[in-house]
Amino acid sequence: VEPVLAPMLAVRRPPRETSLIFVRHLGVLLKLGGNAFAQSYVMPVVARALDPNPQTGDPALQEALLKVLAAQDGDVAKQIEYRALRATVLPRVLQLAAQSPKLSVRVNALLCVVRLFKLFDTGTLVKAVLPCLKVCAGPPGRRQAAICMCALGCYDAIAAHLLDPERAPRGGGPAVSPQAQAGGGQQGGG
């Protein structure tokens, strides 16, 4: 497999359609290659697809990869070596969640976080993921409902995973709850 795919995967700027094919079949590429192949050829494709730079990143490619990584509770992400997942994938996913100009990319990045957070150690969650969620929730007046709901879902899932129920509201509530207090949330009833 490597002699055939390696030259195609090594292309720096492949056509969008080619990149989408690689991204959609990431699980197969990871299974067929092995660790050395994944590190040398597959991870650069992942890094390029998750490029958070608005000038060079492709939102369609970002969304496709985020969906692949989050699918089936992160089955594809589980195939990526932990160090590469933590050093390459997670920072880019968090950067997309916090800074992407496209709302659907930010939402998919947060959905990816909520599916993958169990793969990371507590220190990574506390030092990287939770601060990013606070940034994602945004300052009052600039919050978007979809992002707040996703961030709240991430906080809830991480809190249930890490904290006892007594401490969970303090861990995630303050970053999102001011919107509800300020009347940012709609209440039913007419």
Side-chain angles (χ1 to χ4, degrees):
V1 172
E2 186 174 337
V4 175
L5 290 177
M8 291 186 283
L9 291 169
V11 173
R12 287 278 222 202
R13 294 179 189 249
R16 176 193 236 184
E17 294 77 20
T18 304
S19 295
L20 283 169
I21 290 169
F22 289 146
V23 163
R24 289 185 182 126
H25 298 287
L26 182 63
V28 174
L29 291 172
L30 290 168
K31 281 181 187 174
L32 293 178
N35 281 343
F37 178 75
Q39 283 302 110
S40 299
Y41 299 104
V42 179
M43 288 311 297
V45 170
V46 170
R48 283 192 304 269
L50 290 176
D51 181 4
N53 185 333
Q55 281 74 38
T56 57
D58 181 348
L61 199 53
Q62 293 165 347
E63 282 187 61
L65 182 54
L66 290 167
K67 288 176 182 178
V68 166
L69 290 172
Q72 301 168 353
D73 286 329
D75 283 347
V76 171
K78 290 174 187 172
Q79 295 176 43
I80 298 173
E81 182 187 29
Y82 178 77
R83 284 181 293 160
L85 191 64
R86 190 170 146 225
T88 303
V89 176
L90 182 64
R92 289 170 186 263
V93 169
L94 294 176
Q95 197 170 1
L96 287 172
Q99 299 173 357
S100 176
K102 190 166 180 188
L103 180 63
S104 61
V105 171
R106 293 181 70 203
V107 167
N108 278 301
L110 288 169
L111 292 173
C112 187
V113 168
V114 81
R115 294 288 178 108
L116 301 184
F117 78 87
K118 291 179 182 177
L119 301 177
F120 299 103
D121 60 271
T122 303
T124 300
L125 294 175
V126 171
K127 292 177 184 171
V129 177
L130 292 178
C132 178
L133 294 176
K134 187 173 183 179
V135 170
C136 289
R142 292 198 54 222
R143 294 187 175 137
Q144 296 172 309
I147 300 301
C148 285
M149 293 304 294
C150 286
L152 185 59
C154 289
Y155 272 126
D156 184 49
I158 292 171
H161 181 71
L162 294 179
L163 306 172
D164 63 286
E166 292 291 319
R167 293 176 50 200
R170 289 192 297 240
V176 181
S177 64
Q179 176 160 354
Q181 294 170 357
Q186 301 260 336
Q187 294 193 6

